[in-house]
Amino acid sequence: DVKVTQSSRYLVKRTGEKVFLECVQDMDHENMFWYRQDPGLGLRLIYFSYDVKMKEKGDIPEGYSVSREKKERFSLILESASTNQTSMYLCASMRGLWDEKLFFGSGTQLSVL
Amino acid sequence: GQQLNQSPQSMFIQEGEDVSMNCTSSSIFNTWLWYKQDPGEGPVLLIALYKAGELTSNGRLTAQFGITRKDSFLNISASIPSDVGIYFCAGQNTGNQFYFGTGTSLTVIP
């Protein structure tokens, strides 16, 4: 089974802190994604990566950056956390751009106070 | 980014009842997908649809790819308590471009 692991289930941070959300997949997938999930808004794409060191902006990249130094790991960085970034963050991976099966992690619920 | 219109937003049903939900878009898609998210977990793929008019089943779940390619439907027959969760539709055209519905929250009353 594909396993996508997010390092934290719950995080509480203060406004202005730098926050790192880590995601690791064990299936040698090419593509990795970070989504944000808010009630009534569904899933919105923040960033995705189709290869090591490659990244593309999604629909809501403002206030976020990403890092993919190794194929299995994709990190989401909040340079200076703000209260409007309180949300559920979901990491996902996919075998290749020809595929349609996204595999999601369990999510990180981030609260910024 | 584009969002899909998913309805209903929430449903409260008795165990054993059938459930229907749908998703519509202003754009056409090549693939329609249905995901379920259990409380405290990430979404899991239930059904993938690849062709207009296609009807696909997965156990008690049946999904259809609309003829216009702008909509999709999910039906759950004889609901059970473990069907509780949030159901998301998603449309995909190429590679990374997934567009998700706003979700249908399902509560099953024993």
Side-chain angles (χ1 to χ4, degrees), chain A residues 25-42:
Chain A
Q25 51 94 3
D26 65 358
M27 292 307 294
D28 201 36
H29 283 181
E30 301 286 335
N31 300 275
M32 297 188 74
F33 304 76
W34 276 106
Y35 287 91
R36 173 176 169 159
Q37 181 178 18
D38 298 290
L41 296 178

Side-chain angles (χ1 to χ4, degrees), chain A residues 9-10 31 33 35 37-38 40-45 48 59 88 90 94 96-107, chain B residues 1-3 9 31 33 35 37 39-45 48 50 86 88 92 94-103:
Chain A
R9 292 297 293 267
Y10 301 95
N31 300 275
F33 304 76
Y35 287 91
Q37 181 178 18
D38 298 290
L41 296 178
L43 278 67
R44 293 180 291 168
L45 181 64
F48 75 96
D59 297 319
M88 170 69 84
L90 289 165
M94 185 170 77
L97 289 179
W98 64 90
D99 204 355
E100 78 287 340
K101 294 183 179 64
L102 276 176
F103 294 89
F104 285 89
S106 298
Chain B
Q2 181 180 354
Q3 274 189 334
Q9 202 170 31
T31 305
L33 306 138
Y35 285 83
Q37 184 175 24
E41 299 295 329
V44 173
L45 180 65
Y50 303 100
I86 303 176
F88 289 99
Q92 183 202 28
T94 59
N96 57 283
Q97 292 180 338
F98 291 88
Y99 298 95
F100 287 87
T102 49

Side-chain angles (χ1 to χ4, degrees), chain B:
Chain B
Q2 181 180 354
Q3 274 189 334
L4 306 184
N5 297 312
Q6 189 172 345
S7 64
Q9 202 170 31
S10 62
M11 300 181 76
F12 293 81
I13 61 167
Q14 292 287 142
E15 183 177 357
E17 286 184 5
D18 296 344
V19 173
S20 290
M21 60 190 78
N22 69 78
C23 207
T24 60
S25 168
S26 56
S27 305
I28 61 174
F29 288 108
N30 293 328
T31 305
W32 279 93
L33 306 138
W34 285 92
Y35 285 83
K36 183 194 177 196
Q37 184 175 24
D38 288 328
E41 299 295 329
V44 173
L45 180 65
L46 297 173
I47 292 179
L49 301 154
Y50 303 100
K51 212 163 61 168
E54 179 183 351
L55 189 71
T56 297
S57 293
N58 178 6
R60 292 178 297 105
L61 277 61
T62 302
Q64 184 159 26
F65 192 140
I67 290 291
T68 65
R69 295 171 63 191
K70 291 183 178 181
D71 57 5
S72 181
F73 304 86
L74 176 70
N75 295 314
I76 305 173
S77 63
S79 58
I80 59 178
S82 62
D83 290 334
V84 163
I86 303 176
Y87 291 80
F88 289 99
C89 62
Q92 183 202 28
N93 278 331
T94 59
N96 57 283
Q97 292 180 338
F98 291 88
Y99 298 95
F100 287 87
T102 49
T104 295
S105 175
L106 178 64
T107 302
V108 179
I109 303 164

